[in-house]
């Protein structure tokens, strides 16, 4: 009897130990998941508190890295050359060689900046806008055209740029390979996305730009994650941006990166839940086996 009692006591201690270990493992798994999720949540909140997303109007585009709204976001929230201005509830960007253009939309995932010309003359923008020295390029492929200033109207096969023409001069865009008519003189030969057409909008058609990140090549595509910057200097290829204090996020996740991180978090949650469920089931099986042995 004494041996049976000691055996039962020993088995009871083993069962208690297994239950304690199982509970500890479950607690550790839950703690690790909570820590990971909390860190991501606090990271996003930390960025939003230092670099809040801005809109110039209710239906306006979101302004976030690499863009920033002058006077509304700190300097480290955007890159040089990406400054936007809110004017009369309208999002504007200024180019020194032309002037202000209206920002219609910003597609961060495909890096597309759609613009409107407040003067409703896209070809005046094409004729004068110089994107060298800026982080922007035309979104569409370019083709070489020549702007002609003609003293008389050309044949109907040529489309006159009405917003650039007057009663005594007539402006046309022609392919650079075509001969120049006698009554015309070339104004400028320049690569542009589209020639003039009276059937296309005069304020926006073809006025889309894309951008590259200054000082780094396709950074978002190579890294695809938040980058942290401290007073000690840049980390993980982050540009040398001066911050006011402590740590701050200086690069906002693109739409694809956000989706990827959310999917990873979901997978971690599912895997953690499955591990906890398996351990609970194993613990119950051990308890049942121990009870069966005790009955024997």
């Amino acid at each position: 009897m004494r041996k049976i009692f000691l055996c039962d006591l020993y088995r009871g201690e083993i069962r208690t130990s297994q239950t304690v270990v199982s509970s500890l493992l479950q607690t550790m798994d839950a703690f690790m998941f909570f820590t990971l999720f909390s860190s991501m949540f606090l990271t996003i909140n930390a960025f939003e508190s230092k670099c809040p997303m801005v809109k110039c109007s209710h239906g306006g585009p979101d302004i976030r890295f690499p863009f920033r709204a002058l006077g509304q976001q700190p300097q480290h929230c955007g890159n040089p050359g990406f400054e936007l201005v809110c004017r009369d509830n309208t999002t504007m960007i200024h180019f020194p060689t032309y002037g202000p253009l209206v920002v219609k939309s910003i597609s961060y995932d495909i890096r597309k900046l759609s613009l409107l010309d407040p003067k409703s003359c896209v070809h005046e923008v094409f004729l004068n806008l110089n994107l060298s020295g800026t982080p922007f390029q035309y979104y569409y492929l370019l083709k070489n055209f020549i702007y002609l200033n003609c003293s008389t109207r050309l044949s109907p096969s040529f489309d006159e740029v009405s917003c650039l023409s007057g009663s005594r001069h007539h402006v046309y865009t022609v392919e650079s390979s075509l001969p120049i008519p006698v009554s015309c003189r070339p104004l400028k030969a320049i690569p542009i996305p589209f020639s003039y057409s009276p059937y296309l909008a005069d304020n926006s058609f073809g006025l889309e730009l894309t951008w590259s990140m200054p000082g780094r090549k396709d950074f978002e595509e190579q890294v695809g994650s938040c980058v942290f910057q401290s007073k000690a200097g840049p980390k993980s290829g982050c540009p040398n941006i001066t911050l006011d204090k402590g740590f701050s996020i200086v690069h906002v996740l693109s739409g694809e990166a956000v989706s990827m991180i959310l999917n990873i978090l979901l997978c971690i949650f599912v895997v953690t839940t499955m591990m906890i469920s398996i351990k609970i089931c194993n613990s119950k099986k051990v308890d049942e086996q121990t009870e069966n042995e005790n009955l024997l």
Side-chain angles (χ1 to χ4, degrees), residues 158-198:
F158 294 91
D159 292 319
E160 183 178 347
V161 184
S162 57
C163 63
L164 294 177
S165 301
S167 58
R168 296 184 178 181
H169 69 281
H170 311 277
V171 177
Y172 299 86
T173 57
V174 298
E175 293 185 16
S176 57
S177 58
L178 294 178
I180 299 176
V182 177
S183 62
C184 302
R185 64 180 179 86
L187 289 176
K188 193 175 187 181
I190 187 173
I192 59 176
F194 302 99
S195 63
Y196 176 78
S197 172

Side-chain angles (χ1 to χ4, degrees), residues 24 80 105 158 173 254:
L24 286 174
S105 63
F158 294 91
T173 57
S254 65

